[in-house]
Amino acid sequence: MTKRIVIKQVIGASVESTFDWMAHSNNFSRAPWVFSSKWRDSNNYTVGAVRNIFMLAGWYQEEITEFVPNEIIQYRVLKSFLPVKQDFTEMKFEKVSRGTMVTWTIDIDVLIPIIGPILTQAAGKLAAGLYGSILTAGKKVLERG
């Protein structure tokens, strides 16, 4: 059973600066729950680019599926430990009066027999905290300078 999580945060910076910070996902390691986020090759920030991200919730290999500068980054999980199905994740960037509204939408399903649905609910709560911490880290950096 897939669970959808939506996290929103206004960041007091331009859409361009906010998008750039989030597109460079190596910045994610500024959040306390993210230990490493690295691109597999130099083809980062384009459709088809693959990154490995290691965080409190596990290890994920993710592929960018849509990349529209200053508007949208979409990606999906190719492989993970713990096993999850995450075919749709999107970061959307919109100009608002106080800066940029970032809306991060995640569809997640934990693929463990019998207890998967229970773990999916827990993973949704963990994901909300995790992705929220990344947005908060970006907000702190971008609003300082």
Side-chain angles (χ1 to χ4, degrees):
M1 178 175 82
T2 301
K3 178 158 182 71
R4 174 161 279 189
I5 299 103
V6 178
I7 302 110
K8 294 184 175 204
Q9 172 108 256
V10 174
I11 297 177
S14 70
V15 169
E16 295 80 10
S17 297
T18 304
F19 184 91
D20 186 61
W21 194 91
M22 297 299 289
H24 290 81
S25 62
N26 54 309
N27 289 324
F28 293 1
S29 61
R30 291 178 184 236
W33 295 6
V34 179
F35 309 123
S36 172
S37 180
K38 296 183 181 179
W39 295 97
R40 287 185 55 192
D41 58 38
S42 60
N43 186 30
N44 46 0
Y45 325 127
T46 60
V47 171
V50 175
R51 70 177 167 219
N52 289 302
I53 186 163
F54 178 60
M55 56 189 138
L56 184 67
W59 166 80
Y60 301 86
Q61 186 175 80
E62 301 171 336
E63 175 186 40
I64 293 179
T65 57
E66 185 172 353
F67 188 91
V68 180
N70 303 321
E71 293 180 28
I72 292 173
I73 301 171
Q74 289 181 357
Y75 59 93
R76 65 187 178 110
V77 171
L78 299 173
K79 299 177 189 175
S80 65
F81 179 81
L82 300 165
V84 299
K85 179 181 177 188
Q86 195 171 322
D87 289 339
F88 177 79
T89 302
E90 176 183 79
M91 288 184 280
K92 187 175 180 182
F93 303 82
E94 299 173 87
K95 183 178 180 176
V96 294
S97 62
R98 300 179 325 235
T100 303
M101 171 64 76
V102 181
T103 304
W104 209 333
T105 304
I106 304 107
D107 287 350
I108 190 166
D109 191 1
V110 178
L111 302 175
I112 296 177
I114 301 171
I115 61 171
I118 294 166
L119 292 177
T120 296
Q121 293 301 314
K125 291 178 183 177
L126 182 62
L130 173 66
Y131 292 97
S133 76
I134 294 169
L135 289 171
T136 298
K139 181 178 181 77
K140 286 179 185 174
V141 170
L142 290 164
E143 290 181 355
R144 261 192 247 147

